[in-house]
Amino acid sequence: MSKKYLFTSESVSEGHPDKICDQISDAVLDAILTLDSEARVACETFCTTGLVVVGGEITTTCYVPVSEIARKKIKEIGYTQKSGGGFDADNCSVMVTLDQQSADISAGVTSAKEVRDSKSADPADQFGAGDQGLMFGFACKETPELMPLAISISHRLMQKLAEVRKDDPDIHYLRPDSKAQVTLEYLDNEAQRVETVLISTQHDPIVRGEEDNKKIQEIIAKDLMEKVVVPVFKEFDLKPDATTKYFFNPSGRFVTGGPQGDAGLTGRKIIVDTYGGYSRHGGGAFSGKDPTKVDRSAAYAARHAAKNIVAAGLAERCEIQLSYAIGVAKPTSINVNTFDTGIIEDEKITEIVKQVFDFRPYSIINNFKLKTLPRDNGGRFYQDVARYGHFGRKDLKLPWEALDKVDALKKQLEALTARA
C-alpha cells in the first residue's frame, strides 16, 4: 500500500542569534587550535541586546583575544552600526569568563581505561572519549551529496540569501537574521513535489524609500522569489510546481531581529546542523568543542561511515549510532540501520563497518586531522561549518565527507559473500 506524507526541514542564516553564538564559539576554537593543537576547548557563547558573553572551560598554552575574535565575527556576519537593529560589533559589550577543563575529565581522555586495565601499547587505546553519550550519522540518495533533500534546499536558500544581502546593492535593505523552511511531499519514501517554501528575513523599516509595510512586503516577496528561490531551485532536480505554496515574512513584518529580537546560545540548532530532523540525533551540539569531545568528532565519523555505505551500494539509506563511555577509547555500541534498504542484513553491515572503520577518538582525530586541519583565510575552519550545516557541504572540503572507504567496504562485502 502506497504511503503519502509531508516532511519539513529548516535552516537559519548566519545572522540568527543562535548561529552567531555557534560561529563565535568555533572562531575561538579555530584561533586556539591554530596556536595549540593539543588544547582542550569547550567554549559557549550567549548573546542578547547589546551583550555577548563567552564562557566555558579551556586549557591551552596560548593566548587568543576572545573579545576581538567575537567582534570580528559579528561584523563579518553583518551586524554593524550601519545595519541598525540594536546590536552591532563595535558597540556591544563582550564579557569573557573562561575556566580550565576539569582535571578529572582531562585525565580520562589522556589515559584511557583500556590502558589502565591492560597496559595496551596501541596509541588509540591510550586516548579515552572526552564524554559519554550517543551520536548518529546518516546518508541517503536524495542528493548527490547523499543528504536529505529538504535540509539541503533549506541550507542553499539561506546561503543564497546571504550572498545577495552582501553583494547585491538592490538587496542591501535586508538585515542578517533569517530562516528558511521547506516542506516536501513524499510517496513511498521518495520526494515527489515541493509543497511549501517559507522564508522569513529581517529588513530595514524603510525599503527603497517605501514606508508602507504592505508595499515593503511585496517588494521583499518579489526579490526573494527572483533572486533567491528561482536561482536555488535551478540547482535541484525537484522543482516547485503550480500548486507549491510560498510564504515570505508571513508574520507581516520583520524589522526587530538578531540578538535584539531573541537571545542566542551556542548549541541550540543541532537539527539544523545535521540532517534537518530526517535522522535521529543524540542530543550533543558541535560548536565550541575541540575534537576530543565525541559529541563532535564521533558524529563526523558516523556521517563518514554512513555516507560511504550508501556510496558503496550497500544501502539506499543508512543511519549509524555510536555510543561512548567517558575515558574509554572503544565505542560501547555500534548500530547500523538501513531502514530495509540494505542489500544484506543490517547485522552483517554492522560487522563490515567494524572491520573498515575505527571509531576510537584518537583514530578519528588522526584520520580526519581534526586538530591540525588547514585553516585558510585567517585561520578558519570550524567557524565555517558552524553555518549552513556540518554535512554535505559542496563549498567546503570536509574530511568526513570523503568517499575513501567505498572500495574497502566492497571488498569486505565480497569476502562476506564468499564465506556464505
Side-chain angles (χ1 to χ4, degrees):
M1 182 177 178
S2 296
K3 180 183 178 182
K4 183 185 290 188
Y5 59 93
L6 300 177
F7 184 83
T8 302
S9 291
E10 74 158 356
S11 180
V12 299
S13 70
E14 61 194 68
H16 185 283
D18 296 330
K19 274 291 142 202
I20 296 171
C21 295
D22 284 345
Q23 290 169 88
I24 291 173
S25 293
D26 271 340
V28 172
L29 175 67
D30 274 338
I32 292 173
L33 290 182
T34 299
L35 300 174
D36 177 13
S37 64
E38 296 303 316
R40 303 282 169 79
V41 180
C43 180
E44 310 290 347
T45 304
F46 164 78
C47 68
T48 187
T49 305
L51 175 66
V52 175
V53 179
V54 182
E57 294 76 41
I58 297 177
T59 301
T60 181
T61 58
C62 72
Y63 165 80
V64 298
V66 175
S67 179
E68 180 181 320
I69 291 168
R71 293 185 191 280
K72 181 180 178 182
K73 178 55 64 177
I74 294 165
K75 183 174 290 185
E76 175 193 303
I77 291 168
Y79 286 104
T80 63
Q81 285 180 283
K82 184 179 179 181
S83 69
F87 182 84
D88 71 81
D90 294 323
N91 294 305
C92 67
S93 297
V94 179
M95 181 185 301
V96 180
T97 170
L98 296 168
D99 201 354
Q100 287 194 335
Q101 183 189 49
S102 159
D104 295 337
I105 296 175
S106 180
V109 173
T110 305
S111 178
K113 187 178 188 300
E114 287 90 335
V115 174
R116 300 195 300 272
D117 288 350
S118 66
K119 306 299 182 183
S120 169
D122 187 342
D125 281 338
Q126 298 174 24
F127 193 93
D131 201 354
Q132 71 179 58
L134 51 136
M135 304 85 207
F136 288 92
F138 182 79
C140 64
K141 288 190 170 181
E142 289 192 0
T143 67
E145 302 79 43
L146 304 183
M147 284 288 288
L149 183 57
I151 188 66
S152 296
I153 298 172
S154 298
H155 283 323
R156 280 299 298 136
L157 290 170
M158 287 292 87
Q159 285 179 305
K160 188 65 177 179
L161 184 58
E163 290 171 15
V164 298
R165 171 173 62 86
K166 294 176 180 180
D167 300 336
D168 188 334
D170 289 339
I171 311 294
H172 281 175
Y173 64 79
L174 293 179
R175 292 177 177 177
D177 191 3
S178 56
K179 282 186 174 185
Q181 187 170 290
V182 174
T183 300
L184 304 179
E185 181 182 290
Y186 281 78
L187 179 64
D188 295 336
N189 295 322
E190 290 191 14
Q192 302 294 311
R193 55 180 298 274
V194 181
E195 169 72 17
T196 304
V197 177
L198 163 61
I199 300 177
S200 294
T201 182
Q202 188 186 15
H203 58 87
D204 290 343
I206 300 174
V207 173
R208 295 180 189 153
E210 184 59 66
E211 298 185 36
D212 180 76
N213 185 62
K214 183 178 179 181
K215 293 181 179 178
I216 287 173
Q217 298 308 319
E218 290 173 354
I219 293 170
I220 293 173
K222 183 174 183 293
D223 284 343
L224 290 178
M225 180 63 78
E226 293 179 355
K227 297 178 180 290
V228 178
V229 174
V230 171
V232 164
F233 273 99
K234 288 180 179 178
E235 303 174 19
F236 294 91
D237 292 334
L238 191 67
K239 313 292 185 187
D241 58 30
T243 63
T244 298
K245 303 179 186 70
Y246 298 95
F247 295 100
F248 300 123
N249 282 359
S251 68
R253 176 180 165 89
F254 191 179
V255 172
T256 302
Q260 184 187 24
D262 287 294
L265 193 65
T266 297
R268 271 205 308 219
K269 286 292 174 282
I270 58 176
I271 300 302
V272 171
D273 283 343
T274 52
Y275 308 102
Y278 203 87
S279 170
R280 286 174 288 189
H281 197 294
F286 299 155
S287 291
K289 297 177 181 178
D290 75 80
T292 68
K293 279 73 174 175
V294 283
D295 277 341
R296 177 169 224 155
S297 54
Y300 293 167
R303 160 64 179 173
H304 178 242
K307 185 177 182 182
N308 276 268
I309 286 169
V310 174
L314 272 67
E316 294 186 4
R317 287 190 290 159
C318 180
E319 180 186 82
I320 295 181
Q321 185 201 53
L322 304 176
S323 67
Y324 292 84
I326 188 168
V328 179
K330 294 180 181 178
T332 55
S333 69
I334 301 171
N335 180 62
V336 175
N337 184 356
T338 65
F339 308 94
D340 297 322
T341 69
I343 61 173
I344 57 175
E345 296 90 340
D346 288 351
E347 294 87 347
K348 292 181 179 179
I349 296 179
T350 301
E351 291 307 311
I352 290 175
V353 165
K354 290 178 181 179
Q355 295 298 317
V356 174
F357 299 94
D358 187 345
F359 293 117
R360 291 174 294 178
Y362 177 92
S363 300
I364 295 170
I365 291 167
N366 278 0
N367 291 340
F368 294 154
K369 298 180 173 56
L370 294 179
K371 291 183 178 181
T372 56
L373 284 159
R375 290 176 175 81
D376 302 323
N377 302 320
R380 305 171 69 97
F381 182 83
Y382 288 109
Q383 60 195 287
D384 285 341
V385 293
R387 55 185 183 180
Y388 314 127
H390 293 242
F391 306 122
R393 296 288 297 273
K394 293 188 292 184
D395 58 325
L396 301 174
K397 191 174 182 180
L398 305 178
W400 52 88
E401 293 294 312
L403 295 176
D404 54 352
K405 297 294 184 180
V406 169
D407 290 341
L409 287 166
K410 289 180 178 179
K411 287 180 181 178
Q412 287 293 327
L413 176 63
E414 290 172 3
L416 183 67
T417 304
R419 290 195 301 271

